[in-house]
Amino acid sequence: MTTTLTRVDTATAAPLKRRRRAVGGRLAVLPLLVFTALAFGLPALAMLNGAFTVKDPATGATSYTADNLTNSLQGAYLTALLGSVKLSAVSAALGALLGLPLAQAVVTSRFRALREAVLTASGVLANFGGVPLAFAFVATLGNAGVLTRHLGLSDKGWDLYSFWGLVLVYLYFLIPLMVLTITPALEGLRSQWREAAQNNGATTVQYWRHVALPVLLPTLLGGFVLLFGSAFAAYATAAAMVGSSIPLVTLQIADALSGNVLVGQENVALALSLDMVLVAGLVMAVYLPLQRRSARWLA
C-alpha cells in the first residue's frame, strides 16, 4: 500500500515540477521582454505614428495621411533608397564571393593558431566601422593618402570618394562577417561526402559543384542577406567619407532629421525609416527560411 501511494505521489509531483519550471522560465525571460518592448517597441510605434502624420504649417493641426510615404518614394528620396539597395547588393555579393574561399582556407588549414587568429581578427573587423574606419581609408587611399601618393593612384583614375571606393571600404567589415557566417557551415560538411565523391571518380571541382555548393547554397544566400542588411544600415562610415556626394537613404534620413526638408514634410525622415524597416523585414523573411533549410543538412 505504501509503495502504491509513493508511486502516485511521484506521478503527481512530476507534472507539478514541470509546470513550476515552465513558470520559472517565463518569469526569467520577462525582464528581456519588457526591455525589448521599451527599447524597440515604443520607438517603432512612434516611428509608425510619425510616418503617417502630417502637420499643417498654417494652422498647426496634425492629420493622418500617406503623404510622407508617397514623398519618400519620389525624387531624391527614391534615388537614395535605390542607391542604398545597389550599394548593399554589390558589397554583399562581393563580400560573399571573397569570404567563402577565405573561410575554406581557414577551415582546411592545418595550423590551429592561424585559424584562431583569423577568426579572432574577423570577429574584431566585422564590428569595426564608423568614423575610425573612414579615417583609416582616407589616410591610406584618399586623395592625399599614403598609398595614393606612393603608387600614383590618382593618375590612374582612382577615387576613394566614389561608389566603388565606398564598396571597397564596406568590404573591410563585410568579408570578415562572411567568414564568421560561413565557417560553421563549412565545418558541417562531412568528410564522408568528399570520400564518396572521390570513390565514384569525382574531381574536386565536381565535388564542389554537385555536392558542397548545393548543400552550402542556403547558407551562402543567408550570408548574402546578412551582409546586405549590414551594409544597408551603415551610416557613419559613408557620412564621414562621401557626405551627400553619393545618394544613400541613411544620409537622407540624417538630413531630414536635421531639418533639411520642406515645410510640412518634417516627418519624411520617419517615412524613410519605415521604408528601411520594410526592406529589412523582406531581408529577414528571406534569411530565416534559408537558415532553417541549411540547418537540416548541416546538423
Side-chain angles (χ1 to χ4, degrees), residues 16-289:
L16 290 176
K17 289 181 179 180
R18 285 195 295 268
R19 283 196 292 270
R20 289 173 181 173
R21 290 175 182 175
V23 172
R26 296 190 186 97
L27 291 177
V29 80
L30 184 60
L32 176 61
L33 296 178
V34 173
F35 173 80
T36 302
L38 293 176
F40 296 97
L42 292 181
L45 291 176
M47 177 190 66
L48 187 64
N49 178 71
F52 291 96
T53 301
V54 173
K55 184 177 181 180
D56 191 326
T59 62
T62 59
S63 60
Y64 287 98
T65 178
D67 289 347
N68 291 326
L69 288 177
T70 302
N71 292 328
S72 70
L73 297 176
Q74 294 178 352
Y77 298 129
L78 178 60
T79 302
L81 182 61
L82 295 178
S84 290
V85 171
K86 178 183 176 181
L87 175 64
S88 303
V90 172
S91 301
L94 291 176
L97 291 176
L98 297 175
L100 176 60
L102 178 58
Q104 174 64 12
V106 171
V107 170
T108 58
S109 175
R110 293 176 296 178
F111 302 98
R112 183 176 179 181
L114 175 63
R115 175 186 173 186
E116 293 179 352
V118 172
L119 293 179
T120 301
S122 297
V124 175
L125 297 178
N127 295 281
F128 182 69
V131 177
L133 178 61
F135 172 77
F137 271 87
V138 169
T140 306
L141 292 171
N143 292 338
V146 176
L147 291 181
T148 303
R149 289 186 288 106
H150 281 74
L151 300 179
L153 298 179
S154 297
D155 299 333
K156 300 175 182 178
W158 167 250
D159 183 13
L160 178 66
Y161 314 109
S162 63
F163 175 85
W164 289 108
L166 199 56
V167 168
L168 176 64
V169 176
Y170 277 25
L171 289 177
Y172 188 84
F173 60 85
L174 291 181
I175 292 177
L177 181 59
M178 186 62 187
V179 171
L180 295 176
T181 302
I182 200 65
T183 295
L186 290 172
E187 292 177 338
L189 292 176
R190 295 178 175 84
S191 59
Q192 295 88 337
W193 297 345
R194 180 185 289 272
E195 294 172 358
Q198 291 175 346
N199 292 336
N200 285 277
T203 63
T204 301
V205 175
Q206 290 174 329
Y207 163 75
W208 276 96
R209 179 182 176 184
H210 298 288
V211 180
L213 285 180
V215 173
L216 292 173
L217 185 59
T219 304
L220 286 173
L221 294 177
F224 168 81
V225 170
L226 183 63
L227 267 59
F228 177 90
S230 180
F232 188 68
Y235 163 72
T237 301
M241 275 189 54
V242 300
S244 59
S245 60
I246 296 179
L248 297 176
V249 66
T250 51
L251 303 182
Q252 285 287 355
I253 291 174
D255 287 342
L257 289 176
S258 64
N260 188 17
V261 291
L262 299 176
V263 177
Q265 296 185 8
E266 293 81 3
N267 288 338
V268 171
L270 297 177
L272 289 170
S273 301
L274 182 59
D275 294 339
M276 291 192 67
V277 170
L278 294 177
V279 173
L282 292 175
V283 167
M284 292 305 300
V286 175
Y287 175 70
L288 294 177

